[in-house]
Amino acid sequence: MSSPCYISGLGLHLPRTAMTNADLERMVDTSDEWIVTRTGITNRYFAQGDEPCSVLAFNAARKALDNAGLAPQDLTHIFVGTFSGDYNLPTTACLLQDMLGLKGLPAFDLAAACSGFLYCLETARAFTCLHPEARILVVGSEVCTSRVNFEDRTTCVLFGDGAGAAIVTGAANPGPVKVLDAMLKADGSVGGLLTIHGGGSACKPVLGQPVGPEYFVQMNGRDVFKYAVRCMAEVSETVLERNGLTADDVDLIIPHQANIRIIEAIAKKLDVGMDKVYVNVDRIGNTSAASIPIALTEAVATGRIQPGMKVLLSSFGGGFTWASALLQF
Ligand code: UT7
């Protein structure tokens, strides 16, 4: 029996530099027509040198705190989902803690690739059971472009940068959005289909040797596509079923924004119309762990989500990891 957990504030931040498909046509052998028909993406944002992961996270966090009517000093924990932190050490969560002027409170990064935000959300839900007074800053922040190979046209057109943040509170500080349920899944046996091996202890950097393609995202796109559709649909159905619901009972579905064809295939599997599915992949591209909190923040800010609505989130990413969460507004 879990105690209730709430979302008390949301915020997003995008880098200042927009990159259209026409911009990418000038960088790599691709075309607007290919990118739009295969992915639905027309634009994404690229972080510049003064916008590392921690800076994007900080800007999203400040907006989420303002949205919750809280000050940094009200926070009790900081969790950051990312695969593209500023450094290997210190963690982005520790950098963020310092930028917020805080000391002492626990702060860590969580590595679950594009599922990083939902993994952090469920971790926060568990922490609020232990600590009902908790006010946890949960951030998905990515500078995907720092780990993308701009000589590999099959991946570099897909990703963008950004951050989304939520303030997750326990029973002692109820917020306007209740987290009804969440489920996390993983399958390491197929992790080789989506990798960044370089820099790890099994693929060590060697002083003075150049950085090769293994230091960047390498992906079997077709296989990842199939797993993404199947896994996101399955975990969404399981979460709905165990709450006595069907997709008809949900007002909005927010899937990980990787590719419009993946999103449409999930809608088909769940037997819902696209009018019930939130899409911003066309404007923002795949921002990995930031994708869901950015979409959720937008959907609330634009009035797409109204009080009383049930919203289903689902994600899929490297590992493989996938997850779903059910929210009551
Ligand atoms: O966040 C989770 C992780 N990632 C994903 O969810 C991505 C999942 N996968 C996908 O979204 C799709 O598989 C892609 C969008 C990556 C690729 O779409 P596809 O329909 O599976 O294309 P493909 O890989 O089968 O490539 C088809 C053709 C190939 O040419 P040939 O061999 O048929 O002559 C590619 O070389 O398209 C070519 N191609 C490109 N052409 C122009 C691949 N990338 C590009 C490009 N521009 N950027």
Side-chain angles (χ1 to χ4, degrees):
M1 181 68 182
S2 60
S3 35
C5 149
Y6 302 88
I7 294 177
S8 296
L10 288 163
L12 75 86
H13 181 77
L14 294 168
R16 59 181 180 272
T17 310
M19 291 292 289
T20 64
N21 292 347
D23 294 324
L24 285 168
E25 280 176 354
R26 286 187 279 277
M27 296 168 68
V28 66
D29 179 19
T30 191
S31 67
D32 175 57
E33 195 266 335
W34 190 95
I35 302 172
V36 170
T37 52
R38 300 291 174 130
T39 73
I41 300 168
T42 61
N43 186 71
R44 75 289 285 148
Y45 294 85
F46 282 10
Q48 303 301 310
D50 59 347
E51 297 173 299
C53 188
S54 61
V55 169
L56 303 186
F58 174 75
N59 285 305
R62 288 306 310 233
K63 290 173 196 162
L65 283 164
D66 286 350
N67 185 238
L70 295 174
Q73 290 67 27
D74 296 318
L75 294 172
T76 58
H77 306 72
I78 299 175
F79 305 161
V80 177
T82 188
F83 81 91
S84 56
D86 294 29
Y87 312 111
N88 283 337
L89 275 176
T91 63
T92 298
C94 284
L95 295 171
L96 178 58
Q97 185 209 61
D98 186 44
M99 292 163 90
L100 289 166
L102 302 172
K103 273 189 207 302
L105 73 167
F108 61 79
D109 289 1
L110 189 153
C114 303
S115 296
F117 179 79
L118 290 187
Y119 265 63
C120 283
L121 179 65
E122 177 66 336
T123 306
R125 198 163 75 104
F127 270 67
T128 61
C129 292
L130 283 171
H131 308 287
E133 76 294 351
R135 289 191 178 109
I136 305 174
L137 171 60
V138 169
V139 188
S141 184
E142 302 279 19
V143 180
C144 299
T145 53
S146 66
R147 304 314 299 271
V148 162
N149 176 357
F150 282 92
E151 292 182 10
D152 176 7
R153 66 176 183 170
T154 67
T155 53
C156 74
V157 301
L158 308 175
F159 294 95
D161 305 328
I167 310 297
V168 177
T169 53
N173 301 296
V177 186
K178 196 167 180 176
V179 182
L180 296 177
D181 198 6
M183 178 179 269
L184 309 182
K185 306 284 280 182
D187 182 356
S189 72
V190 276
L193 295 170
L194 175 47
T195 60
I196 306 175
H197 281 161
S201 57
C203 189
K204 294 186 216 170
V206 179
L207 202 60
Q209 287 203 357
V211 166
E214 69 277 13
Y215 280 77
F216 302 96
V217 172
Q218 295 185 306
M219 177 168 69
N220 180 328
R222 282 189 189 183
D223 285 347
V224 173
F225 189 110
K226 286 181 213 150
Y227 275 97
V229 172
R230 190 187 330 138
C231 294
M232 277 197 277
E234 271 176 21
V235 72
S236 300
E237 276 166 350
T238 307
V239 166
L240 288 172
E241 267 167 39
R242 75 179 189 185
N243 286 276
L245 301 170
T246 70
D248 283 345
D249 301 313
V250 170
D251 299 287
L252 187 66
I253 296 172
I254 302 183
H256 171 49
Q257 305 287 312
N259 182 319
I260 190 64
R261 290 157 53 217
I262 293 177
I263 295 171
E264 286 170 350
I266 294 166
K268 200 169 166 202
K269 271 191 180 282
L270 295 177
D271 199 19
V272 297
M274 282 300 287
D275 55 323
K276 233 186 211 194
V277 181
Y278 194 79
V279 175
N280 68 11
V281 69
D282 53 328
R283 290 179 285 114
I284 296 179
N286 182 349
T287 57
S288 183
S291 135
I292 288 190
I294 288 174
L296 184 60
T297 306
E298 276 191 353
V300 173
T302 57
R304 182 80 187 272
I305 296 177
Q306 292 291 328
M309 286 188 169
K310 279 191 176 56
V311 176
L312 186 73
L313 313 176
S314 71
S315 67
F316 180 86
F320 290 154
T321 57
W322 62 103
S324 180
L326 183 63
L327 309 180
Q328 176 70 62
F329 279 77

